[in-house]
Amino acid sequence: MTDYYRRSGDEGQQQPYTTGGYPPPPTHEPTPPVTVWPGDGGAGYQPPGGGVQAGPVGGPAHRARAKRPVALIAAVAIVAAAIGGGASVLVQRLTDNGTGGSGTGVTGTNVSQSSTGTVAGVAQAVSPSIVEISATSSAGQSTGSGVIITGDGEIITNNHVVSGADSVKVRLSSGRTYTAKVVGTDPDKDLALIKLAGASGLKAAALGDSSKVKVGDEVVAIGSPEGLTGTVTSGIVSALNRDVTVAKQQDQGQQQQQQGGGWPFEFGGQQFNGDTGSSKTTYKALQTDASLNPGNSGGALINMNGEIIGINSAMYSPSSGSGSTAGSVGLGFAIPVDTVKADLDDLRSGGSS
């Protein structure tokens, strides 16, 4: 390999010439073959002393030179990514406020994730969809409950709550009151549909699937027992497909309530809470041990997903000869929501009223 020298100063001595550890190209035109040093600048490089860089433009030296910026750019990109990643981690740690959060956004409703599947979570989610109904007729006044099923104020309740009523008033969980009209009734299924006047933007309840209900499933009941608006109780489904017989007409139920007899109904050939009279109907019901009392009628039986699975319609309450009631003893009955859904079109068209 040829060594290259230059003169240094006035000493006239020849000193090795190096730049970055590599010797320079010759100051005179070398004879072929030409040796190109790796990384020596490539074509067009002008070394000190006016020498010309060996190697044709576009030849191997040019290609070797081209590779270096690419490698450099890639390295810079990697460093920038590392710095950027570190910066993002730093920002994340600062915004976590030391809580150790992941920084991932969580979407949800007003019910917290931790309350999902709890009585508190169900009550918070569904209570705005449950109303108190006050119906007035020639027989007196009765209080029941209802379930909002559309944002413009369609409400499902029991037929025996509004049958024969001259006027119907509805109170929302917020305390706001509306006048309602009876759209349709089905006495055979003990169902009725009423509609609020001038309502909009209401929170409608989600209707579930009662065919999937099993004995032992946890449930929540919401209604207005004894006029106590928004009362929440809980329990389980204790039986399915119970044949329950109730009075068709509201005045029979009102008279029994005024006498302290609670809801009149029959089960297993026996009458409970008073005489149901001659006008009565029988339907298949869900049985629950969630506490129900007069005023829960027409309210909601809800699963732990917040879906309506039944409309509460009857309860057993032992009574003495004096007509006093002892409240619920764990025998309540609800009309399956599948029955409600199958009857909605008829109710909207006027039903059997």
Side-chain angles (χ1 to χ4, degrees):
M1 181 178 298
T2 304
D3 292 329
Y4 304 104
Y5 296 87
R6 67 175 173 83
R7 293 188 178 277
S8 175
D10 297 331
E11 288 122 2
Q13 298 177 354
Q14 291 187 335
Q15 300 293 334
Y17 174 81
T18 60
T19 301
Y22 291 96
T27 57
H28 59 277
E29 187 70 26
T31 57
V34 178
T35 300
V36 179
W37 292 92
D40 63 357
Y45 175 77
Q46 297 293 329
V52 178
Q53 170 64 30
V57 175
H62 177 73
R63 289 193 295 271
R65 175 70 177 133
K67 291 179 180 178
R68 294 187 67 195
V70 173
L72 179 60
I73 292 171
V76 170
I78 292 172
V79 172
I83 294 173
S88 66
V89 170
L90 177 60
V91 171
Q92 177 178 315
R93 288 180 179 174
L94 291 174
T95 56
D96 282 344
N97 295 321
T99 60
S102 65
T104 303
V106 177
T107 58
T109 63
N110 291 333
V111 181
S112 66
Q113 289 280 335
S114 61
S115 295
T116 302
T118 67
V119 173
V122 171
Q124 183 179 3
V126 184
S127 288
S129 302
I130 311 302
V131 303
E132 178 183 305
I133 299 174
S134 297
T136 303
S137 72
S138 57
Q141 184 175 357
S142 68
T143 300
S145 304
V147 179
I148 300 172
I149 61 170
T150 63
D152 61 353
E154 283 189 340
I155 295 172
I156 283 288
T157 186
N158 286 141
N159 173 67
H160 71 258
V161 171
V162 298
S163 177
D166 298 321
S167 67
V168 178
K169 299 289 185 181
V170 172
R171 183 173 184 237
L172 305 185
S173 62
S174 64
R176 185 173 182 179
T177 59
Y178 288 87
T179 298
K181 68 174 182 178
V182 178
V183 176
T185 62
D186 188 342
D188 290 334
K189 295 184 176 73
D190 195 19
L191 291 173
L193 180 70
I194 65 175
K195 178 74 180 293
L196 304 185
S200 63
L202 304 183
K203 183 174 182 180
L207 303 184
D209 184 349
S210 53
S211 69
K212 295 181 179 179
V213 174
K214 301 184 294 295
V215 172
D217 283 351
E218 292 181 276
V219 290
V220 175
I222 305 178
S224 300
E226 307 292 356
L228 301 174
T229 306
T231 296
V232 177
T233 58
S234 65
I236 63 168
V237 174
S238 52
L240 304 174
N241 299 318
R242 293 297 200 199
D243 287 320
V244 174
T245 301
V246 297
K248 284 186 178 183
Q249 301 302 318
Q250 181 194 35
D251 57 352
Q252 294 173 333
Q254 286 177 338
Q255 290 169 3
Q256 291 297 331
Q257 288 188 32
Q258 290 167 357
Q259 296 169 5
W263 300 337
F265 77 101
E266 295 180 3
F267 175 71
Q270 300 181 55
Q271 293 183 348
F272 298 94
N273 307 331
D275 187 2
T276 58
S278 59
S279 178
K280 54 191 178 183
T281 185
T282 301
Y283 55 81
K284 299 288 186 181
L286 303 174
Q287 181 180 306
T288 178
D289 68 352
S291 179
L292 302 179
N293 288 281
N296 274 114
S297 191
L301 190 67
I302 312 157
N303 65 19
M304 301 310 288
N305 293 323
E307 300 168 332
I308 310 300
I309 59 169
I311 301 298
N312 298 320
S313 59
M315 62 111 188
Y316 167 68
S317 178
S319 60
S320 65
S322 63
S324 64
T325 60
S328 175
V329 292
L331 286 175
F333 302 94
I335 302 167
V337 74
D338 287 359
T339 301
V340 176
K341 291 189 291 186
D343 207 28
L344 268 179
D345 287 343
D346 288 339
L347 291 172
R348 284 170 172 152
S349 64
S352 303
S353 60

